[in-house]
Structures are given as structure tokens and as C-alpha cells.
Amino acid sequence: DGGITQSPKYLFRKEGQNVTLSCEQNLNHDAMYWYRQDPGQGLRLIYYSQIVNDFQKGDIAEGYSVSREKKESFPLTVTSAQKNPTAFYLCASSNLGGASFYQPQHFGDGTRLSIL
Amino acid sequence: AQRVTQPEKLLSVFKGAPVELKCNYSYSGSPELFWYVQYSRQRLQLLLRHISRESIKGFTADLNKGETSFHLKKPFAQEEDSAMYYCALKADRGSTLGRLYFGRGTQLTVWP
């Protein structure tokens, strides 16, 4: 069954700790994205990657880091530098360019991160 | 700079009433516009896109380049339409190719 899998569904972190959120896709999509969803603020882009071993900062990258070592995986690390990490995090993927430009992004179920 | 504006944070209508969720955008290129929907306890999913000019679940949206708008409309709202709706613009060029710019979302509630 094709799709995007985010894990874990819920994550708790103590202050000062780094945590890593997993995102895996088996859609063979080139591009992957991480968003943060807060009430009243919609979806804000953290990082995105259009190709393996390359990624770009989004609008709110401070306090976050990513890697793209494999096409199907795009983990997000929330570092201790992120001052307000409690949020709902969404991962997405899509194809790029040509006819696939008009294809939408596919989203995972999300991970809810809370600070203890 | 590219921007997507959804002026209504909350919108309530009664079942059977028409509903219109507003979306305005600013972008210098030729964007692709989408409406995404998130029902309670479900993942964010595509509702419709301007290129396909289709009607999904009774919803339609027409791209008006003159007014830079992409409003979502349904003539008769149903209770199951209650959800969070996001308007999104997809960039068509350069390093931002493919990334989506989302509005802040409109929470639609349809009362029985």
C-alpha cells in the first residue's frame, strides 16, 4: 500500500533534548517536505528536499535539522535550540517538473511533539 | 513575494446553505492552486486543484487571475463538510519549484 509513514504518532521530549521524527515514503517521489502545524497559523514549511543529499530551508528552519540520505527517507531532528517545539509536525512528498508538476503533495498522519 | 491569504479563520453555515471559502494569492509566476482539506482525525488531503476544473464532493473553485483569487464554493453545505480547509499555491520555478505556500486555513462548521 503506497503512502507516507510518519513515526511515532506521539512524542514527548524533555527540555534540552534533541528528538528525531521519522518520515518514510514508498511513492518514489523526488521531493519531500516538513511542515509545522499550529492552531491559527496554518502550515509553515520547515525544510524541503528536491533530491537526495540536498535540502533547503523553509520559512521556519531555526532549531531544526534534516538529512536526505535516501530517496524514501527524510528525518527531521528537533534540536534543543528550538524554543517552542510543541506542535504537530507533518511530512509530505511529491513529484516535480513536467506533467508531474500538477500532482499534489501527499501527506502523512503527523507526529505530535510535546515538551515534558 | 508569494503569499496566500484566507481572510476567514472561522466560518459557520447551516446545512443546505451556500458556502464560500475565500482565498487570495500573490505570485509573479504561473502558479498552480490547490484546496486541501483536513477532516477531524484524518490526514490532510487534496480536495481539488485549479488545473483539473473538476467538482469534488460538490465543491468547485475557479481561478480568477484578474482578482488573484481561488475561492472555494458549494451551493448546499452538508454536515460532513465540516473541516479545516487550506488554500495552497505551488511555485513553478527555480529553487522553490514544487514547494507549497499555504494559507492559514479556514475552519468550516456546518450546523444541522
Side-chain angles (χ1 to χ4, degrees), chain A residues 3-5 33 35 37-43 45 48 50 56-59 88 90 94-97 100-109, chain B residues 2 9 30-32 34 36 38 41-46 49-51 84 86 90-105:
Chain A
I4 299 179
T5 302
Y33 311 83
Y35 296 92
Q37 189 176 30
D38 295 286
Q41 298 200 53
L43 276 74
L45 184 66
Y48 63 108
Q50 296 174 329
Q56 289 82 38
K57 292 182 179 180
D59 301 320
F88 191 63
L90 282 171
S94 71
N95 274 325
L96 296 173
S100 64
F101 172 72
Y102 301 105
Q103 297 305 309
Q105 288 184 11
H106 296 258
F107 286 84
D109 285 324
Chain B
Q2 47 279 339
K9 191 174 179 180
S30 297
E32 173 72 0
F34 299 87
Y36 282 83
Q38 191 169 29
R41 301 183 183 279
Q42 294 188 28
R43 65 174 63 184
L44 191 64
Q45 59 188 284
L46 177 70
R49 51 194 169 191
H50 95 260
I51 195 70
M84 177 68 83
Y86 292 98
K90 191 174 187 181
D92 71 334
R93 62 182 60 174
S95 63
T96 61
L97 174 68
R99 71 157 286 185
L100 286 175
Y101 295 88
F102 282 89
R104 293 194 170 193

Side-chain angles (χ1 to χ4, degrees), chain A residues 9-25:
Chain A
K9 194 169 182 178
Y10 300 96
L11 188 57
F12 300 92
R13 189 192 93 171
K14 292 183 180 179
E15 285 196 37
Q17 284 184 335
N18 294 353
V19 288
T20 298
L21 283 62
S22 171
C23 179
E24 305 277 331
Q25 55 100 358

Side-chain angles (χ1 to χ4, degrees), chain B residues 37-81:
Chain B
V37 61
Q38 191 169 29
Y39 301 103
S40 179
R41 301 183 183 279
Q42 294 188 28
R43 65 174 63 184
L44 191 64
Q45 59 188 284
L46 177 70
L47 180 62
L48 54 78
R49 51 194 169 191
H50 95 260
I51 195 70
S52 56
R53 295 180 171 271
E54 58 197 344
S55 173
I56 302 293
K57 298 184 179 182
F59 284 98
T60 59
D62 292 319
L63 179 62
N64 186 323
K65 291 187 177 181
E67 296 183 358
T68 59
S69 68
F70 188 55
H71 303 326
L72 183 68
K73 301 177 184 178
K74 185 170 183 176
F76 307 103
Q78 302 299 314
E79 290 178 68
E80 55 265 30
D81 296 328

Side-chain angles (χ1 to χ4, degrees), chain A residues 56-77:
Chain A
Q56 289 82 38
K57 292 182 179 180
D59 301 320
I60 54 166
E62 186 176 351
Y64 300 97
S65 66
V66 293
S67 62
R68 187 85 187 277
E69 297 177 1
K70 298 186 295 181
K71 186 176 184 178
E72 60 269 23
S73 178
F74 192 41
L76 173 74
T77 297

